Amino acid sequence: MSDAQAPEKRRAPVKEGKGSKEGEERHEAIYRAVSDAIVEQRLKPGARLREDALADVFGISRTGIRKILQRLALEQLVTLTPRRGASVTRPTADEAKDVFDARQLIECGLMPDVARRMGEKEAAELRDMAREERQALRSGQQSVAIRLSADFHVRLAQLSGNATLAEFVERLCSRSSLILAVYGHPGHLGCESHDHDDLIGYLEAGNGERAKAFMSRHLKAIEASLSMVEEAESAPDLQQIFGG
């Protein structure tokens, strides 16, 4: 069934009032489901995301769906176009280069500050995150591994103490997740599995310049692993993807 067709079976509607905890949890679950479907490429780049079709599939109002799509658009996983509506963002080779160039400038530059602020507690937290990422990759959970890798980089930026740059890194990592999901290789994130642990070691030792150089090589390796081959646009079967 294409996205132009209404599904035969609707989910039970949920309360969407401002103070409804059930509604908030449902919206978060739908956001996560659509986000994962994009990263896992069950929703392909360029695929249209019709509000009415998504509302029918998930059993919530179009207003609720619109808010979720706006949130995904802020993370640049979805593109909102006047009169055409929402579609999965289609990153280009030039955009991928721009994103990784920006990450080089910001993340590498933050490493000396992170090294100065790194303590045992922060290092242990980062090692836990790196371990979860490796476990997800080994178990074939590519989208989870990509998300955990992004979370690791965002947390590093937060540890620099510069909240403004950390927020920018978070958006760049969100775009990188889509780029990696679309143009990366299954079972591999474009870098060595021990890279994050090695980086933690330099930071924990207070060697900010070494960490800066290592981060640069790490990001270049990820970018170099991408295969920038674009696929033709297609209409997604939303009921099959999300119907369950």
Side-chain angles (χ1 to χ4, degrees):
M1 182 189 72
S2 71
D3 62 343
Q5 296 174 298
E8 297 179 0
K9 184 178 180 180
R10 294 177 58 124
R11 294 176 187 257
V14 299
K15 297 178 182 179
E16 297 185 67
K18 186 176 180 180
S20 170
K21 182 179 179 181
E22 181 185 1
E24 291 175 2
E25 291 177 348
R26 181 69 176 137
H27 280 207
E28 181 64 26
I30 295 169
Y31 156 79
R32 185 63 63 192
V34 178
S35 176
D36 285 348
I38 291 171
V39 172
E40 292 170 359
Q41 290 196 74
R42 287 181 285 124
L43 285 171
K44 301 289 186 180
R48 287 191 63 193
L49 301 173
R50 283 181 45 189
E51 290 179 5
D52 56 348
L54 286 168
D56 282 340
V57 167
F58 289 112
I60 68 171
S61 69
R62 290 184 62 174
T63 300
I65 289 295
R66 191 173 301 123
K67 290 179 180 178
I68 291 167
L69 292 175
Q70 288 170 346
R71 179 179 172 185
L72 290 164
L74 283 175
E75 297 182 2
Q76 297 185 316
L77 293 177
V78 163
T79 298
L80 300 178
T81 306
R83 294 184 297 279
R84 188 176 188 275
S87 61
V88 177
T89 298
R90 184 191 296 276
T92 65
D94 286 341
E95 288 169 345
K97 184 179 186 306
D98 287 347
V99 167
F100 278 95
D101 283 351
R103 291 187 64 181
Q104 283 278 352
L105 288 170
I106 298 172
E107 292 188 67
C108 295
L110 290 176
M111 289 303 98
D113 288 334
V114 176
R116 283 191 289 271
R117 299 166 65 96
M118 181 69 64
E120 291 183 5
K121 179 181 178 181
E122 291 78 12
E125 177 189 1
L126 290 170
R127 284 198 174 92
D128 285 342
M129 296 178 76
R131 183 173 60 253
E132 289 178 13
E133 177 192 334
R134 288 195 304 273
Q135 290 173 344
L137 198 57
R138 287 170 184 158
S139 62
Q141 298 176 288
Q142 182 84 356
S143 66
V144 175
I146 290 174
R147 192 182 305 283
L148 290 171
S149 180
D151 289 346
F152 178 91
H153 282 263
V154 171
R155 184 59 184 140
L156 274 180
Q158 292 170 343
L159 290 173
S160 73
N162 190 319
T164 300
L165 287 180
E167 183 178 349
F168 192 29
V169 168
E170 184 171 9
R171 293 199 177 190
L172 288 172
C173 284
S174 178
R175 294 183 70 182
S176 295
S177 294
L178 177 58
I179 291 166
L180 189 57
V182 173
Y183 300 114
H185 300 280
H188 196 259
L189 298 185
C191 59
E192 298 298 328
S193 60
H194 55 76
D195 270 10
H196 286 171
D197 284 309
D198 292 347
L199 180 59
I200 296 166
Y202 296 133
L203 292 168
E204 193 174 22
N207 197 333
E209 289 304 314
R210 189 75 179 272
K212 179 178 180 179
F214 188 89
M215 175 65 84
S216 179
R217 292 195 300 272
H218 174 68
L219 293 174
K220 286 177 181 177
I222 297 172
E223 184 179 3
S225 74
L226 302 175
S227 299
M228 303 300 293
V229 178
E230 298 184 11
E231 297 182 2
E233 183 174 329
S234 60
D237 185 336
L238 298 178
Q239 182 65 31
Q240 181 181 26
I241 293 171
F242 299 116

